[in-house]
Amino acid sequence: MSQTATFRQVFSSREYRAIWSATVLSDVGDQLARVAVAVIAYERTSSAAITAVTYALTFVPALIGGPLLGGLADRFPRREVMFGCDLARAVLAALMAVPSMPFGVLCALLFAVHLLEAPVRAAYSSVLPQVFADDRYVTGLSALQMASQLTRVLGFTVGGIAVAFIQPTTALLVDAGTFVVAALIIRWGLAARPVPERPEGAPARSVLATGRLIAADRRLRLLVCAAWLAGFYVVPQALAVPYADGLGAGSAAAGLLMAAAPLGTIAGVTIFGRFCTPALRLTLLGPLAVLTSVPLVFAAFQPGLVGSIVLWVLIGFFSAYQVTANGEFVRAVPDHLRGQAVGLAGSGLIAAQGIGIALGGVLAEQSDPATAIAVFGVAGVLAGVPIAVAWRSR
């Protein structure tokens, strides 16, 4: 298939519909659970700090789950990995809904729920190139990315409204239900496939072998580095509240700013995934990796609220190159190491974003949010240019 695949062609696949539906269901349930657990934490402790730490527990597992559990998708049938992990997450979420559950145990269960997300993500990322061997693969990734960003935009708003009308424990039971339904969709909608060629040696050796593979392959290195540039342009999202305060705007303006980048990503993924040929997407990968950080630089020129929203939409729009980088990376890795490779690259991405957010916060404390964002914009451009040049030479 030499022409760009359409979304209709992608969704005509029963297997893809199963992966897409199960992923969206799980994401919606997770967003609802994040809000519910945050409410429970504040109700029981009345501590903003403990509530923030509890919320952070939903992201920390992604950092360690990739290297530790991503390889499960290479050692067992991938459909069964997704099915089993979703059922396990349903049980854990249901236990979290027990009213008398001690708060410490609740946090441990929350951590476990999100830890099991890593093998599920690794499994579907490894299966998708088998479902689509042509350009429908990248278009399918685009549709998944669009759904993920839309969940981000709507998740907290809808989740907050839902928890306001139902008890947080009921919301957790709903989350458990989404995992059960997602598991059944995968079990009935995805074809059974044999176990990939098993990696040699113990899981730890597989992690090292996959790391060496990525380090030794120049194409894989460039794709990973391009993806990890998100550590620079994620900073505005983290500083949205103090940045809006610096503009003299309120929390509503901060919400608009935080929604701007995901909305821009939806637009970018739609355009680049649907209307750009595969060759053009590869050509644009390098320039877009640089351009994504450029709008941050203009924060130094006091663009105002409207101007800032436009700039942040552009950040999301240009970041659509991540879909191409992700797709090319997964396809370039041998099938029997895909799950582990996806886990390692994903953990590195989470680490890059976490480091960027932490350093951005420190710099904002020492100067101001606008200056911190602008500095990270300049740093992102400087880091992106050599990657783009090296990618063009490929």
Side-chain angles (χ1 to χ4, degrees), residues 31-49:
Q31 294 284 23
L32 185 61
R34 284 189 173 106
V35 176
V37 171
V39 171
I40 291 173
Y42 193 72
E43 286 179 347
R44 294 192 185 182
T45 67
S46 299
S47 169

Side-chain angles (χ1 to χ4, degrees), residues 240-254 257 304-305 308:
V241 174
Y243 181 83
D245 185 62
L247 294 175
S251 58
L257 288 167
L305 178 59
S308 297

Side-chain angles (χ1 to χ4, degrees), residues 6-7 95 111 132 138 149 161 190 198 201 205 218 224 245 311 320 327 333 347 394:
T6 65
F7 291 116
L95 288 174
F111 189 90
F132 295 136
V138 175
Q149 294 299 320
I161 294 173
L190 201 60
R198 288 180 181 271
R205 185 173 296 180
R218 186 164 180 257
V224 166
D245 185 62
L311 290 171
V333 174
S347 294
R394 294 286 298 173

